């Protein structure tokens, strides 16, 4: 266990033991990493003898089928509650742990954040001006997932927990690494192996990822009918290939956020340095999912559109009715970023340093109380 994880373990212990109740919240419309890490954190709270609750305030229709299944089967077992129940339970001695996000606008309990006794963040997305002001912040963009961070802490105890917890954590790791193809280190594999030793079943996890036929057809139609390819010449033998995916026949089609993420992931199977999938997630709201397989830092690019993430996986949402104008703006940003990378001789950063501090991309952000 490295020093950062050791500090995270110590801080989690302090927060949990110094609270009568702990509320755990991930980003809105949780994915496997958000719900998996939340379930792992709830398990830690129970290990220390504290009441804990996971707040999910999204309608089932906005949830990925696998996430919806986890919640439906384990709502009582893992104390998964909505906002109405949260308001009834929260008190002055309650603390909050935010997982798989650090942005205030991405959590359902945003207006309650200042009232918590303690606030602790566990995340792998780069911080920015929207990062929640927390007493303890453990943000490391170089870690595969929040689930990897939580699993490493949980597995440091000699504690037998429900195999379902291990399955959820493993699903979170597999999602955010695209099944170990991206942002994966030897530690990621070690953590996954330990989860399997603790009862995680790769076959059960694989079933959670099974795509419904209609979902698969919708994503395939989007990818194969709506993708344009651009080449950006940096220097000799340094061409960058980027894809932009939009439903060009029916631009106003509404997608789930996960559909766009899968479309961006799907395009990484081809010879692409970066991929962008763009679509409406509700009327008047466009979402972009971005992936990178090279030195194009999509987290930095998304930050220019009000979003964020890390160098290889990022997203943003934009309030607009003109999705094609969003695509053109994105293309302009990508082009300028790659040109800046060439002219400045930068390796690994695809954006001018005035937009986002390079150190944020390279180093974990750890903040604890004085």
């Amino acid at each position: 266990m490295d020093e950062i994880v050791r500090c995270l373990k110590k801080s989690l212990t302090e927060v949990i033991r110094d609270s009568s109740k702990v509320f755990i919240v991930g980003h809105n419309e949780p994915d496997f990493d958000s719900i998996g890490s939340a379930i792992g954190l709830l398990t830690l709270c129970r290990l220390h003898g504290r009441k804990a609750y996971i707040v999910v305030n999204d309608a089932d229709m906005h949830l990925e089928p696998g996430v919806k299944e986890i919640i439906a089967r384990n709502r009582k077992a893992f104390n998964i509650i909505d906002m109405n129940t949260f308001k009834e339970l929260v008190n002055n001695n309650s603390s909050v742990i935010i997982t798989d996000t650090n942005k205030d606008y991405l959590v359902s309990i945003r207006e309650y954040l200042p009232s918590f006794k303690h606030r602790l963040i566990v995340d792998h997305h780069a911080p920015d001006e929207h990062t929640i002001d927390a007493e303890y912040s453990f943000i490391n963009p170089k870690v595969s997932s929040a689930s990897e961070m939580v699993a490493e802490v949980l597995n440091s105890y000699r504690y037998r927990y429900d195999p379902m917890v291990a399955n959820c954590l493993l699903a979170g790791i597999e999602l955010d690494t695209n099944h170990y193809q991206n942002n994966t280190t030897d530690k990621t594999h070690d953590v996954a192996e330990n989860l399997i030793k603790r009862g995680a079943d790769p076959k059960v996890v694989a079933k959670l990822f099974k795509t419904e036929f209609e979902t698969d057809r919708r994503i395939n139609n989007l990818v194969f009918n709506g993708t344009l390819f651009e080449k950006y010449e940096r220097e000799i033998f340094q061409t960058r290939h980027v894809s932009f995916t939009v439903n060009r026949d029916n631009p106003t089609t509404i997608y789930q956020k996960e559909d766009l993420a899968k479309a961006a992931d799907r395009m990484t199977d081809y010879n692409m340095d970066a991929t962008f999938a763009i679509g409406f997630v509700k009327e008047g709201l466009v979402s972009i999912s971005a992936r990178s397989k090279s030195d194009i830092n999509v987290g930095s690019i998304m930050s220019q559109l009000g979003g964020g993430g890390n160098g290889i996986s990022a997203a943003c949402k934009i309030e607009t009715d003109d999705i094609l104008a969003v695509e053109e703006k994105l293309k302009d940003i990508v082009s300028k970023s790659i040109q800046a990378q060439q002219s400045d001789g930068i390796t690994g950063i695809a954006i001018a340093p005035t937009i986002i501090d390079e150190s944020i991309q390279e180093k974990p952000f750890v903040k604890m109380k004085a």
Side-chain angles (χ1 to χ4, degrees):
M1 182 185 295
D2 62 31
E3 188 61 29
I4 294 173
V5 177
R6 198 182 309 278
C7 291
L8 171 59
K9 179 179 179 179
K10 181 176 181 293
S11 297
L12 281 167
T13 301
E14 290 179 4
V15 168
I16 293 167
R17 289 183 175 176
D18 195 39
S19 311
S20 61
K21 298 175 183 177
V22 178
F23 293 92
I24 302 160
V25 61
H27 55 75
N28 296 329
E29 299 179 17
D31 56 16
F32 286 127
D33 189 29
S34 180
I35 195 67
S37 58
I39 288 172
L41 288 163
L42 180 134
T43 303
L44 276 170
C45 292
R46 288 178 170 174
L47 173 62
H48 291 290
R50 291 295 182 271
K51 294 180 180 178
Y53 306 87
I54 299 170
V55 182
V56 177
N57 200 48
D58 299 277
D60 285 352
M61 63 181 292
H62 295 139
L63 299 175
E64 183 77 5
V67 173
K68 183 164 60 177
E69 180 181 347
I70 289 173
I71 292 173
R73 291 189 176 187
N74 300 281
R75 190 176 291 277
K76 289 185 178 179
F78 295 130
N79 289 348
I80 300 174
I81 63 173
D82 59 17
M83 279 296 294
N84 290 331
T85 306
F86 163 77
K87 291 174 184 177
E88 294 173 0
L89 293 172
V90 69
N91 60 34
N92 292 333
N93 200 34
S94 299
S95 293
V96 64
I97 302 174
I98 301 103
T99 185
D100 196 33
T101 185
N102 61 71
K103 311 298 188 292
D104 54 8
Y105 61 86
L106 290 179
V107 296
S108 57
I109 60 172
R110 177 180 183 176
E111 63 182 288
Y112 292 88
L113 289 172
S115 63
F116 284 105
K117 184 175 184 180
H118 301 294
R119 294 180 297 278
L120 186 148
I121 298 172
V122 182
D123 191 27
H124 66 120
H125 300 96
D128 61 20
E129 68 273 17
H130 298 290
T131 295
I132 294 165
D133 181 20
E135 187 177 4
Y136 307 83
S137 289
F138 294 86
I139 303 171
N140 190 352
K142 289 202 167 185
V143 175
S144 74
S145 56
S147 291
E148 179 180 330
M149 299 170 73
V150 172
E152 191 169 5
V153 172
L154 189 58
N155 289 341
S156 69
Y157 292 92
R158 293 182 178 179
Y159 174 66
R160 295 181 65 86
Y161 50 82
D162 190 324
M164 185 60 188
V165 176
N167 283 332
C168 291
L169 288 166
L170 187 61
I173 293 172
E174 291 201 9
L175 175 75
D176 277 16
T177 60
N178 194 16
H179 303 286
Y180 308 105
Q181 295 184 61
N182 301 323
N183 209 24
T184 303
T185 65
D186 55 349
K187 181 179 287 187
T188 308
H189 289 288
D190 288 343
V191 172
E193 181 182 0
N194 282 327
L195 286 171
I196 293 171
K197 289 178 180 178
R198 297 288 186 119
D201 185 341
K203 292 182 179 179
V204 171
V205 173
K207 288 181 180 179
L208 291 172
F209 282 90
K210 291 293 183 184
T211 305
E212 296 176 348
F213 176 78
E214 287 300 327
T215 300
D216 201 31
R217 180 166 65 177
R218 185 167 63 248
I219 294 168
N220 281 337
N221 285 339
L222 175 62
V223 166
F224 294 120
N225 297 324
T227 301
L228 295 179
F229 303 93
E230 299 285 350
K231 291 183 180 179
Y232 300 91
E233 301 290 345
R234 287 182 52 208
E235 53 190 70
I236 189 168
F237 303 127
Q238 287 291 317
T239 302
R240 293 293 177 262
H241 299 268
V242 180
S243 66
F244 299 88
T245 301
V246 179
N247 188 329
R248 302 178 194 283
D249 293 332
N250 297 289
T252 58
T253 301
I254 305 294
Y255 293 93
Q256 290 191 359
K257 181 182 65 175
E258 289 76 14
D259 291 345
L260 300 175
K262 288 178 179 179
D265 284 333
R266 184 76 55 85
M267 287 307 303
T268 63
D269 292 339
Y270 304 100
N271 185 27
M272 293 293 110
D273 292 288
T275 69
F276 299 89
I278 313 165
F280 283 100
V281 289
K282 67 179 183 180
E283 188 174 346
L285 184 64
V286 171
S287 180
I288 305 175
S289 285
R291 301 291 184 267
S292 175
K293 292 173 64 179
S294 70
D295 55 0
I296 299 176
N297 190 315
V298 293
S300 298
I301 291 171
M302 289 294 94
S303 73
Q304 295 187 66
L305 291 168
N310 55 45
I312 66 168
S313 179
C316 74
K317 290 182 179 179
I318 302 166
E319 292 185 359
T320 181
D321 292 319
D322 193 344
I323 191 170
L324 297 181
V326 170
E327 182 185 30
E328 289 306 311
K329 175 66 173 176
L330 174 61
K331 285 182 178 180
D332 183 59
I333 292 172
V334 171
S335 177
K336 289 179 178 177
S337 297
I338 294 175
Q339 289 171 8
Q341 185 179 10
Q342 178 179 355
S343 62
D344 294 342
I346 301 171
T347 300
I349 300 295
I351 193 169
T354 53
I355 301 297
I356 189 165
D357 187 350
E358 180 178 346
S359 65
I360 290 176
Q361 301 298 318
E362 299 298 326
K363 301 176 183 177
F365 175 78
V366 179
K367 173 188 171 186
M368 296 182 290
K369 68 177 181 179

